Amino acid sequence: MSAENDHVDGVAATPQIEEENRVEIFDTTLRDGEQSPGISLNAAEKVEIASQLARLGVDVIEAGFPIASPGDFEAVQMIARNVEGPVITGLARTHTADIEAAWGAVKDSPRPRIHTFISTSDIHITHQLQTDREDVKGQAKAAVAHARSFCENVEFSPMDATRADVEFTAEVCAIAIAEGAGVINIPDTVGYTTPDEYTRYLERLYELIPELRDVTLSVHCHDDLGLAVANSFAGVLAGARQVECAINGLGERAGNCSLEEIVMLLRTRRVDHGLDTTVNTRELARTSRMVSRATGYVVQPNKAIIGRNAFAHESGIHQDGVLKERTTYEIMDARDVGLESNSIVLGKHSGRHALRDALEQLGFKVEGNALNQAFQRFKEIADKKKQVTALDLEAIVSDELREAGQKYELAWFEVESGSRRAPVARAGVTMPNGEEATGEYSGDGPFDSVFGAIQAAVDVECDLRSFEVGAVTGGEDALGEVTVQVRAHGRLANGQGVSTDTIEAAARAYVRALSNALEGAAVREAEAATAEHAAAPMTPGP
Ligand code: KIV
Ligand code: ZN
């Protein structure tokens, strides 16, 4: 089928593609993506994101690193039990305990996979693992064999492969294949390689390991030099049929290959290379918004594919061209990535049923108490805003999901401010023990004052690292959306808040960020105490 024939009413349907030309999408937003500084997703948010990834049509979801903490284990297990469609995988070092934790977490999925890894570069072997090549071979062999004793679907990654000796990496991969790994993933862990060098590396691996043709070759590229998508694309052209990537390009340091970019690159240039994914691209924008809200990582306006300006034409010449014929300056249709406006519009007279139907159309299953809460929130907003659109509803539901997992909650706040007096704010915060603590502060303006009042209520030192204000939609009565990053108790954390009142959105965001930081610090302390007690220190993770 040609790309053109797949259009229904001008919007591309998910195309059919021959199996050998199908590139599988392995989403690692919830594992590598979650390793970005400041991100702390609660289990409900992780399940919601995983469900949206399933709707998007990814092939594999890497749901987390189960050995890392009891919270990670539970979230991977919840995803394995509740999200159908994609393969669900958990990451594991070569340690027996890691592999058993990964299996314990994914085994209830209809399609489980264990993903195990060990470094093959001498830099990592000498300095980090402090061992030798023979030991690495032994660990890889034992880990894959152990994983295969539980699970038919096992993936193996030689970490830092692109800086490793290709002959040695080939030896380790051959061992993994012999032990039953069905996917061999070649990570560019530090984002160092270039497209031509990566191509040569993969071609050499094919020469050195003929059995590589019998398994799925996968690519996993980081973006330190801005080449993650280009390198992944080179990998696919060299024969890889799985790309590891993350929504909005999230991931360690500069991030991973951006899912939306590689998917649209393959779709848009399919005629030239014959390869494609089966991702439903119309879900891309929504998935991106959901992940951005949950993680507090705002998408830059000029981000390819899903940025606010990705389809905006500013210059008169471009606008003139697009008005005459869209393809003069557009290589993709905004509707194909889900950036078209959704027709759902509710108002203050809409009832609970209308809200539930609208949420269902948007892919949210909200019942019982959650529906009551969403309805109450919707009513508050509909009273202040004439029309509540699909984008507003998405923002409200994400906001409610975030609230569900919070230990500290904003109970109330008040701010007095003006140009002729010093501002003063007071705030009440519901503490983890259910009691309300209050604080007062006079700062450099209404935002600074309300943040100070919250800090005084919670009584912790807290540094504001970043503060961004946006709007969910256009228009004067748009919902305000605020993202903050704070550092408290040595922990960096993000928080977001949505409201028709920007100060309220900021106050909510601040309490959430603080709550995430304090919760993260408490979990880290508890883990340290357990590790000390068990006298079993963890070696570094991925
Ligand atoms: O970047 C990396 O090498 C990884 C591996 C665990 C696949 O994330
Ligand atoms: Zn990685």
Side-chain angles (χ1 to χ4, degrees):
M1 225 189 251
S2 77
E4 286 77 18
N5 289 344
D6 298 333
H7 276 69
V8 182
D9 294 338
V11 180
T14 307
Q16 293 188 341
I17 183 88
E18 308 74 33
E19 207 42 41
E20 69 270 24
N21 295 330
R22 187 163 98 80
V23 177
E24 297 201 349
I25 293 298
F26 174 117
D27 179 276
T28 186
T29 309
L30 295 172
R31 199 279 297 167
D32 212 317
E34 222 231 352
Q35 288 170 214
S36 315
I39 298 185
S40 38
L41 301 171
N42 63 45
E45 286 172 318
K46 287 186 185 176
V47 173
E48 201 56 47
I49 290 174
S51 307
Q52 177 58 26
L53 289 170
R55 218 170 287 127
L56 176 66
V58 306
D59 299 280
V60 185
I61 295 174
E62 187 163 54
F65 185 30
I67 192 80
S69 72
D72 271 53
F73 181 95
E74 272 163 39
V76 177
Q77 190 175 54
M78 269 174 80
I79 291 169
R81 289 181 176 167
N82 293 294
V83 178
E84 276 186 29
V87 167
I88 306 295
T89 189
L91 187 66
R93 291 166 300 186
T94 47
H95 306 187
T96 307
D98 281 44
I99 288 168
E100 289 173 1
W103 176 240
V106 299
K107 69 175 193 292
D108 294 335
S109 160
R111 304 179 66 201
R113 174 186 292 180
I114 298 174
H115 177 193
T116 185
F117 72 97
I118 189 163
S119 297
T120 55
S121 72
D122 289 328
I123 305 179
H124 282 205
I125 295 174
T126 312
H127 300 291
Q128 188 176 22
L129 301 176
Q130 299 183 342
T131 186
D132 55 34
R133 288 183 175 196
E134 277 315 300
D135 182 49
V136 166
K137 286 200 272 183
Q139 285 198 45
K141 183 176 163 69
V144 175
H146 195 45
R148 278 294 270 118
S149 72
F150 297 120
C151 184
E152 281 195 6
N153 190 344
V154 172
E155 169 169 339
F156 174 74
S157 295
M159 183 146 127
D160 204 22
T162 53
R163 290 195 301 166
D165 173 16
V166 67
E167 268 84 14
F168 175 63
T169 302
E171 260 187 82
V172 178
C173 291
I175 291 171
I177 296 172
E179 291 303 323
V183 182
I184 296 291
N185 176 47
I186 305 299
D188 181 30
T189 303
V190 291
Y192 181 69
T193 199
T194 58
D196 59 333
E197 185 186 81
Y198 199 39
T199 304
R200 286 198 301 276
Y201 193 97
L202 299 179
E203 284 171 356
R204 184 74 184 125
L205 282 183
Y206 274 125
E207 279 167 19
L208 292 166
I209 336 167
E211 318 85 90
L212 193 54
R213 302 217 173 263
D214 305 329
V215 299
T216 302
L217 177 64
S218 167
V219 287
H220 176 113
C221 299
H222 280 267
D223 207 29
D224 299 65
L225 293 173
L227 288 173
V229 175
N231 287 336
S232 303
F233 184 54
V236 163
L237 296 181
R241 287 296 174 268
Q242 175 179 282
V243 176
E244 302 199 353
C245 44
I247 297 292
N248 299 340
L250 289 179
E252 279 279 348
R253 305 178 310 279
N256 280 90
C257 170
S258 142
L259 183 149
E260 51 283 358
E261 292 178 22
I262 190 72
V263 163
M264 287 314 287
L265 169 55
L266 292 172
R267 181 74 42 92
T268 306
R269 302 300 302 268
R270 171 179 167 159
V271 183
D272 303 294
H273 47 64
L275 304 167
D276 205 346
T277 71
T278 48
V279 163
N280 176 2
T281 62
R282 278 161 288 164
E283 292 290 335
L284 285 172
R286 176 128 60 100
T287 317
S288 161
R289 288 194 296 270
M290 181 187 275
V291 169
S292 167
R293 287 206 172 99
T295 57
Y297 272 65
V298 177
V299 172
Q300 77 200 55
N302 61 332
K303 163 86 172 60
I305 316 297
I306 39 79
R308 191 172 64 237
N309 297 345
F311 291 87
H313 301 280
E314 190 62 24
S315 100
I317 296 177
H318 288 210
Q319 286 174 354
D320 175 58
V322 169
L323 284 173
K324 288 177 176 147
E325 165 54 43
R326 187 185 61 75
T327 54
T328 49
Y329 290 95
E330 282 186 5
I331 58 165
M332 293 167 278
D333 187 330
R335 292 173 301 171
D336 287 345
V337 302
L339 279 176
E340 85 279 25
S341 62
N342 189 298
S343 57
I344 294 173
V345 178
L346 300 180
K348 66 176 177 188
H349 299 299
S350 308
R352 204 177 294 259
H353 282 306
L355 176 67
R356 202 189 43 208
D357 288 353
L359 292 176
E360 245 169 48
Q361 272 187 56
L362 292 171
F364 294 109
K365 272 219 172 69
V366 186
E367 303 285 355
N369 204 26
L371 180 63
N372 291 343
Q373 262 167 300
F375 187 63
Q376 196 186 327
R377 195 76 194 282
F378 158 74
K379 280 288 183 194
E380 282 164 21
I381 287 167
D383 270 346
K384 297 183 188 147
K385 205 174 175 295
K386 264 199 217 112
Q387 296 190 323
V388 180
T389 65
L391 290 178
D392 295 325
L393 290 177
E394 264 179 39
I396 300 169
V397 174
S398 309
D399 204 60
E400 286 298 319
L401 270 174
R402 269 194 305 268
E403 196 71 29
Q406 299 293 305
K407 291 265 190 291
Y408 299 77
E409 274 181 42
L410 178 73
W412 56 269
F413 77 96
E414 53 194 33
V415 185
E416 292 161 32
S417 156
S419 58
R420 294 194 299 179
R421 54 157 299 172
V424 61
R426 282 170 285 276
V429 177
T430 311
M431 305 294 277
N433 62 5
E435 280 174 19
E436 190 178 292
T438 57
E440 181 173 319
Y441 187 72
S442 177
D444 278 344
F447 290 107
D448 189 39
S449 300
V450 82
F451 294 163
I454 291 167
Q455 228 188 104
V458 178
D459 195 21
V460 287
E461 279 287 306
C462 177
D463 259 6
L464 179 67
R465 292 304 180 95
S466 72
F467 171 48
E468 287 183 64
V469 182
V472 173
T473 52
E476 277 175 17
D477 62 354
L479 282 177
E481 190 162 33
V482 175
T483 307
V484 301
Q485 185 171 74
V486 302
R487 181 180 277 281
H489 282 195
R491 198 82 193 174
L492 210 53
N494 299 345
Q496 270 208 335
V498 172
S499 172
T500 45
D501 172 347
T502 319
I503 300 183
E504 181 179 335
R508 282 175 180 268
Y510 192 83
V511 174
R512 284 174 185 159
L514 195 54
S515 183
N516 288 337
L518 298 180
E519 176 68 357
V523 168
R524 199 180 42 194
E525 266 172 38
E527 277 166 14
T530 319
E532 215 171 280
H533 183 66
M538 291 259 290
T539 53

